[in-house]
């Protein structure tokens, strides 16, 4: 099998190296014998496409590089495009993708890291860290006490890799975990699992709300101003999904009005957030610069593990676990 | 048995109520029939002392209320003084305490809460939260990535209730936990346990260092300027012990010099910390106002559970698990 790895020229830290490739083959000896090429530039990509059966690429350039109708002629042998990111919203809509090519996301790379970020954010909000950060700026020593997390409820929207990682950690702290997902298949790390359509019914029980879903046309503005009003007084929010999943201004308004007890967001509209943006300065809001899910030390190894698991499934005629459904968008 | 509960007049939120007492008796039915009195003032204390066999009190007033030699005459039937705090350093030295009276600390009330605070602090330091807080103040969107905690080493000084709580959580995140304690009895939540005397040998391995020991004459200035120099470049520190356990100025110097990767401290010298103190403004330092171990919602219930467990041990002729060794100071 011929595989081409197209690395991002702009972000060498995320480039998959030949050494990482060889180490991955050592972990997956049944993948030995694959022919692999690497490039960061257009010339390298163009040279590889005619023969490539698998393309491993960062997601950003795909849609632009392959206008509608171009891909079948440019890469006639291509069967799989594997993206190095879990969210593929920047490649939607998928009108450029022929039915004969399977698009894979990188779901699974982020679970451990996102779980740690999520439980950190929940612990910070429970412990009044946003208020203590304000007090530290003013040099004010004013204790505010907080109980432990055991028994508190957390609603997690999106039970994929990110949400699943948070659910597992939240359960480890004795929280009551309510997961929302497409369909309503029970999730092993949730006390309750509901379909996303039940959001309005569970929001009044959300002492903590974690947004961890992909951004699609169905989830855009999911946490609207009206839904924020359904949350209990003092509810605490964590957003590790995308900034467009909540009504960012309505969240800031609710914090300023004292309706919410605090927020940690790792995403924003726009990114990067300009220096004078309101989000930076809303009281009770902690902003981090989109770092919640990326574990650079282990990222590329996990990426190759996931790719090989999927190629093995394809070879054995099983469904590829990371295949994106273009209609759903994830 | 006659027991007197002396509540702090200054801090009604921590007062043990009659309702909490009754609820505790319901949880410990073998304690039914005890005669209990409550007071917040000197008159109530003076009235109860002649008959009291057990005094449950906050620790602060003990040393002043009972000058050396006074206690036997004032409370001739007294067998137990139970303190509502885990640290009894403010009552040392214990020259005022007759050998016939057992002093109990409240070790065990704080374990869960301290464990959550400790792992929150470790996660924040691992995730570069001190730097992100600085960036948020400046409105600067600049990602810094971080891997997960698995495999990183944490040295915990003091394997009592606080340190044990942190060790348990750190293990849950796959960290390599090195515990230091008086003696060297292995601790079930540590990968390695060493006597406190081995501190100099383990400091070079401390990617994270958590101070969680009582303040005694042996631990005062334990993390001295010389020992800070033994830490690896970029080490991260958490102090939930007492401010005097480390050389506070040396820690600030090391942060300013870039020798340390960040600190979270819940304690300070002095407390409350004055508004213009250097600690508030040292880059990479997160200060919280002594809230890491107090779970007010559950504190009094846990206090009474611990008291009853000790009284049961006394009745059955077993060693009381919370008895303080005046020579050791905890």
């Amino acid at each position: 099998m011929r595989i081409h790895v197209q690395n991002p020229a702009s972000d060498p830290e995320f480039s998959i190296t030949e050494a990482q490739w060889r180490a991955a083959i050592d972990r997956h000896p049944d993948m030995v014998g694959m022919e692999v090429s690497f490039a960061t530039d257009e010339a390298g990509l163009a040279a590889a496409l005619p023969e490539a059966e698998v393309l491993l690429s960062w997601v950003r350039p795909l849609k632009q590089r392959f206008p509608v109708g171009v891909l079948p002629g440019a890469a006639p042998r291509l069967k799989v495009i594997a993206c190095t990111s879990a969210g593929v919203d920047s490649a939607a809509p998928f009108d450029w993708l022929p039915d004969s090519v399977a698009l894979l996301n990188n779901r699974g790379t982020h679970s451990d890291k996102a779980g740690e970020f999520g439980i950190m954010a929940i612990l910070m909000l429970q412990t009044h860290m946003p208020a203590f950060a304000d007090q530290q700026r003013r040099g004010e020593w004013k204790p505010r006490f907080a109980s432990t997390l055991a028994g508190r409820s957390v609603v997690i929207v999106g039970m994929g890799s990110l949400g699943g990682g948070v659910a597992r950690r939240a359960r480890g702290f004795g929280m009551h975990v309510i997961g929302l997902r497409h369909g309503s298949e029970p999730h092993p790390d949730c006390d309750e699992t509901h379909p996303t359509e039940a959001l309005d019914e569970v929001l009044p029980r959300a002492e903590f709300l974690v947004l961890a879903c992909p951004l699609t046309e169905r989830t855009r503005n999911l946490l609207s101003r009206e839904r924020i009003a359904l949350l209990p007084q003092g509810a605490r929010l964590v957003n590790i999904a995308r900034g467009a999943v909540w009504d960012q201004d309505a969240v800031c308004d609710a914090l300023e009005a004292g309706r919410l007890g605090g927020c940690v967001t790792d995403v924003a509209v726009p990114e990067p957030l300009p220096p004078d943006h309101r989000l930076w300065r809303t009281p009770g809001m902690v902003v981090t610069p989109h770092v919640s899910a990326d574990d650079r030390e282990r990222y590329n190894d996990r990426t190759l593990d996931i790719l090989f698991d999927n190629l093995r499934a394809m070879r054995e005629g099983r469904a590829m676990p990371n295949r994106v459904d273009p209609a759903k968008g994830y």
Side-chain angles (χ1 to χ4, degrees), chain A:
Chain A
M1 201 179 304
R2 288 192 79 94
I3 177 164
H4 178 71
V5 179
Q6 185 71 14
N7 280 316
S10 59
D11 203 355
E13 210 188 329
F14 267 125
S15 279
I16 293 173
T17 64
E18 294 199 42
Q20 287 168 338
W21 177 270
R22 284 193 301 271
I25 294 289
D26 285 345
R27 289 193 301 278
H28 301 261
D30 63 321
M31 292 289 152
V32 78
M34 291 214 292
E35 292 173 74
V36 64
S37 55
F38 297 85
T40 54
D41 57 4
E42 170 56 29
L45 178 62
L49 280 177
E51 296 298 320
E53 293 160 274
V54 178
L55 170 64
L56 177 62
S57 173
W58 50 309
V59 68
R60 210 60 66 77
L62 289 175
K63 201 173 161 54
Q64 200 185 340
R65 177 63 179 75
F66 302 116
V68 177
V70 163
L71 195 56
R77 304 183 59 189
L78 198 65
K79 291 187 222 141
V80 173
I81 298 177
C83 295
T84 56
S85 62
V88 295
D89 47 287
S90 67
F94 299 95
D95 46 5
W96 57 274
L97 185 76
D99 289 344
S100 59
V101 177
L103 182 70
L104 308 182
N105 63 24
N106 209 0
R107 182 167 46 81
T109 35
H110 303 82
S111 187
D112 288 351
K113 174 69 190 167
E116 291 194 5
F117 188 94
I119 198 69
M120 176 195 76
I122 289 171
L123 285 164
M124 286 177 67
L125 291 169
Q126 172 69 5
T127 309
H128 308 297
M129 292 306 290
F132 292 149
D134 284 343
Q135 291 180 202
Q136 182 164 357
R137 280 193 279 275
R138 294 194 300 270
E140 185 183 2
W141 183 277
K142 195 172 108 192
R144 291 182 63 179
F145 296 97
S147 190
T148 49
L149 289 180
R152 317 229 163 223
S153 66
V154 57
V155 170
I156 303 175
V157 180
M159 289 309 300
S161 181
L162 307 188
V166 179
R168 189 168 68 85
R169 286 293 173 198
R171 274 281 277 262
F173 284 77
M175 297 186 83
H176 182 81
V177 181
I178 304 168
L180 267 67
R181 68 192 314 185
H182 195 74
S184 57
E185 195 194 335
H187 189 283
D189 290 317
C190 291
D191 296 286
E192 308 173 29
T193 318
H194 301 278
T196 316
E197 292 73 26
L199 182 60
D200 290 1
E201 284 106 86
V202 301
L203 282 179
R205 290 199 282 147
E207 292 178 86
F208 292 85
L209 175 67
V210 178
L211 300 176
C213 54
L215 174 63
T216 67
E217 282 319 306
R218 293 160 62 109
T219 63
R220 188 176 297 277
N221 197 37
L222 186 78
L223 189 67
S224 60
R225 191 174 291 270
E226 293 69 33
R227 288 205 171 106
I228 291 169
L230 297 176
L231 288 163
Q233 170 62 33
R236 287 165 258 205
L237 272 51
V238 179
N239 192 350
I240 54 172
R242 287 288 186 269
V245 170
W246 67 12
D247 182 334
Q248 187 169 274
D249 268 311
V251 170
C252 292
D253 290 345
L255 277 170
E256 287 175 358
R259 266 284 292 145
L260 298 176
C263 290
V264 174
T265 187
D266 187 50
V267 289
V269 177
E271 292 183 17
L273 199 64
D276 58 349
H277 196 283
R278 166 187 196 186
L279 203 66
W280 292 120
R281 270 163 270 280
T282 299
M285 176 68 81
V286 173
V287 180
T288 57
H290 211 132
V291 297
S292 61
D294 287 339
D295 179 347
R296 297 204 161 189
E297 279 180 39
R298 296 165 196 183
Y299 196 92
N300 290 349
D301 297 337
R302 291 280 294 134
T303 295
L304 292 172
D305 286 344
I306 288 171
L307 174 65
F308 290 169
D309 287 345
N310 279 272
L311 295 182
R312 187 176 298 116
M314 180 173 69
R315 190 174 64 199
E316 296 169 1
R318 292 182 285 115
M320 287 189 278
N322 285 68
R323 184 164 187 172
V324 171
D325 178 343
K328 287 201 278 181
Y330 63 91

